[in-house]
Amino acid sequence: MDQTNGQTAQNKIKRAPVHEGPRNHLITFALSLLLTFLAFMAAANQSLSTGFVIFLLVAMAFSQAIMQLAYWMHLKDKGHFYPRLFLTIGGIVAFLCFIAAIYWMWW
Amino acid sequence: MSQANVHSNGQLPPQPERATLEGRNKITGFWLFLGGETVLFGTLFGAYFTLRNQTLNGPTPQELFELPLIALATLILLTSSLFSVFAVQAMHRNDLGKTRMWLGLTVLLGLSFLALEIYEFVHYVSLGHKFHSSAFGSSFYALVGFHGAHVAFGIGWLTLIFLQLKRKGLTTVTAPKVYLASLYWHYVDVIWVFIFSLVYLLGKVAG
């Protein structure tokens, strides 16, 4: 039984696509650099309103994080149901803790 | 031992980190750990945002934070994350030398990041911003320091794998270790994205 499973796994590996090149990873790196640069520029720009800069910073942080999770950490790939599930649940609990901490203290 | 553990003709399978059940279980288990880490950092961010204005007449975030230093640290960590991607890609090509080279470069950049952070903390302490000087100080050092501790742990982990690869080479046993350490390093970088955006830049804008 164990051997059969092993062979099934081996077959799956054989059918797996040939190694991906660095292209997507370099694009992710370039976009991360761009988002980081824009975030620093937005923070250094005195003429923008504070509310708008905060919105930009939060939006760019989440965009960059999601992009790196998807490409560098392979969450976009098939067979990542449980990793996505674990991280989503962790993210929801983290967000609730974050909101609860702020409102519990100062409400 | 399953058949997948055996390297046919001495060749490493295309995705050696997933070639064994143990390897696949390690990856799934590691993601559970990363989910837990997300909760941990969520609570630290929550504590920081709750307390960041409680400076007790000490220096404020706007007075303390220096953007050029943070930009350099961000560039270093982002590049090190890319290098760890290259290490895994070299591993997939069964290129031991390149895998070790990229891992080594990742460690070097990690050390540079850590050195910058230590310099930054020493500088802040000289300005009167200490762990126990205010609630802002405590929550800042708890959050950023905890991230720094993760970087330090990652450097140690990657170094040990770098050394082990020299002795044991790339096998279905060592490959999941390279993959997991790389995942961990990316995760540390993802947390830094939130720290530089929400702690430093936002502190500068709305300190």
Side-chain angles (χ1 to χ4, degrees):
Chain A
M1 187 65 188
D2 189 22
Q3 186 149 343
T4 316
N5 284 340
Q7 281 170 347
T8 311
Q10 192 82 308
N11 290 339
K12 277 181 187 167
I13 290 160
K14 278 178 187 164
R15 281 200 302 274
V18 189
H19 311 304
E20 54 173 352
R23 189 169 164 268
N24 280 343
H25 298 303
L26 287 172
I27 291 172
T28 304
F29 180 67
L31 286 175
S32 294
L33 272 184
L34 180 69
L35 285 171
T36 304
F37 177 74
L38 289 176
F40 273 88
M41 286 297 107
N45 194 327
Q46 307 284 335
S47 61
L48 297 171
S49 74
T50 307
F52 182 62
V53 173
I54 292 172
F55 167 76
L56 272 183
L57 290 177
V58 173
M60 284 190 277
F62 274 96
S63 308
Q64 189 174 162
I66 289 169
M67 202 168 57
Q68 291 187 14
L69 285 166
Y71 285 92
W72 283 355
M73 297 175 78
H74 304 283
L75 279 190
K76 69 169 177 47
D77 294 351
K78 278 183 184 174
H80 279 74
F81 171 74
Y82 284 106
R84 280 196 286 260
L85 179 73
F86 295 152
L87 207 65
T88 306
I89 293 173
I92 290 169
V93 176
F95 182 71
L96 290 176
C97 289
F98 183 81
I99 296 298
I102 293 170
Y103 283 96
W104 186 15
M105 195 79 175
W106 302 126
W107 204 358
Chain B
M1 184 187 281
S2 76
Q3 199 69 26
N5 270 333
V6 181
H7 307 176
S8 54
N9 306 323
Q11 290 291 311
L12 207 58
Q15 284 190 306
E17 73 274 7
R18 293 179 187 278
T20 62
L21 180 63
E22 189 183 335
R24 291 192 293 279
N25 284 346
K26 274 183 179 172
I27 293 169
T28 307
F30 196 75
W31 275 103
L32 185 61
F33 163 72
L34 291 183
E37 288 271 278
T38 307
V39 177
L40 185 87
F41 276 105
T43 58
L44 289 173
F45 271 103
Y48 175 76
F49 273 87
T50 309
L51 302 169
R52 73 191 181 106
N53 293 322
Q54 312 301 305
T55 55
L56 209 65
N57 297 324
T60 64
Q62 268 170 332
E63 291 162 352
L64 280 174
F65 299 156
E66 289 171 20
L67 294 190
L69 185 80
I70 306 307
L72 181 62
T74 304
L75 183 65
I76 288 173
L77 205 60
L78 191 62
T79 310
S80 77
S81 205
L82 179 71
F83 285 178
S84 72
V85 170
F86 289 159
V88 170
Q89 290 204 314
M91 177 184 84
H92 284 161
R93 293 192 306 270
N94 199 7
D95 188 338
L96 177 63
K98 285 275 169 59
T99 306
R100 290 187 76 234
M101 182 191 85
W102 289 118
L103 282 181
L105 288 172
T106 305
V107 167
L108 282 180
L109 288 183
L111 284 169
S112 314
F113 176 87
L114 206 58
L116 272 184
E117 191 155 80
I118 291 168
Y119 164 78
E120 181 199 2
F121 282 8
V122 170
H123 179 61
Y124 289 164
V125 168
S126 73
L127 296 173
H129 178 56
K130 298 174 185 169
F131 189 86
H132 53 80
S133 58
S134 67
F136 163 53
S138 307
S139 57
F140 171 82
Y141 285 116
L143 171 59
V144 184
F146 209 71
H147 175 267
H150 274 72
V151 173
F153 179 83
I155 289 169
W157 189 7
L158 288 166
T159 306
L160 289 174
I161 290 170
F162 176 83
L163 296 173
Q164 192 182 45
L165 283 180
K166 190 177 184 193
R167 282 181 53 229
K168 299 197 172 179
L170 284 170
T171 66
T172 49
V173 176
T174 54
K177 299 180 184 186
V178 175
Y179 186 83
L180 291 184
S182 168
L183 268 188
Y184 175 83
W185 197 254
H186 292 316
Y187 186 80
V188 167
D189 183 41
V190 168
I191 294 298
W192 179 254
V193 169
F194 288 102
I195 291 180
F196 87 72
S197 303
L198 305 183
V199 174
Y200 289 103
L201 296 183
L202 207 136
K204 208 67 180 167
V205 174

